[in-house]
Amino acid sequence: MSEEKGWALGAHLGVLIAGFLAPLIVWLVFKGRGPFLEHHAKESLNFQITVLIATFVCIITAFILVGFVLLLFLLPWMVIMPIIAAVKANSGEWYRYPLTLRLVK
């Protein structure tokens, strides 16, 4: 279980360096190793996909100045939420990101 916790932690914190590639790689490489790790890798990947979609919305709506306001909420959200998820994963808790599209099942 400690190895699963470590990789789950990496799936969440790796996004601060590698973006959506970190959870994607963890999910693809370690798929089937355990439900805990698979859950956290998919949650992190879904969160990153949601952040990517929200970023595109911010870019598109920046032309009417709404995107800049949305970006003020998005930037802290995309940094703080993976840290919270990593703490939960490290303590062995099953965590689900709020306000996240569940596209990868």
Side-chain angles (χ1 to χ4, degrees):
M1 180 66 170
S2 66
E3 184 179 345
E4 278 189 64
K5 277 192 211 178
W7 284 110
L9 186 70
H12 292 297
L13 291 181
V15 301
L16 300 175
I17 298 168
F20 79 95
L21 288 177
L24 178 64
I25 291 170
V26 170
W27 181 57
L28 290 175
V29 171
F30 296 105
K31 192 185 319 184
R33 287 258 179 112
F36 182 78
L37 174 57
E38 196 165 328
H39 166 79
H40 279 281
K42 285 192 288 187
E43 277 297 308
S44 184
L45 183 57
N46 281 326
F47 179 73
Q48 290 306 308
I49 292 169
T50 303
V51 165
L52 189 63
I53 292 169
T55 302
F56 284 129
V57 168
C58 287
I59 290 170
I60 291 168
T61 58
F63 296 111
I64 55 173
L65 302 177
V66 175
F68 295 114
V69 175
L70 292 174
L71 203 57
L72 292 174
F73 292 103
L74 181 63
L75 291 175
W77 185 57
M78 60 192 278
V79 173
I80 293 170
M81 294 310 295
I83 293 171
I84 292 171
V87 169
K88 298 287 187 178
N90 194 42
S91 65
E93 295 179 43
W94 296 71
Y95 182 75
R96 290 180 61 104
Y97 285 93
L99 304 172
T100 299
L101 301 171
R102 305 280 182 306
L103 300 174
V104 178
K105 300 202 186 237

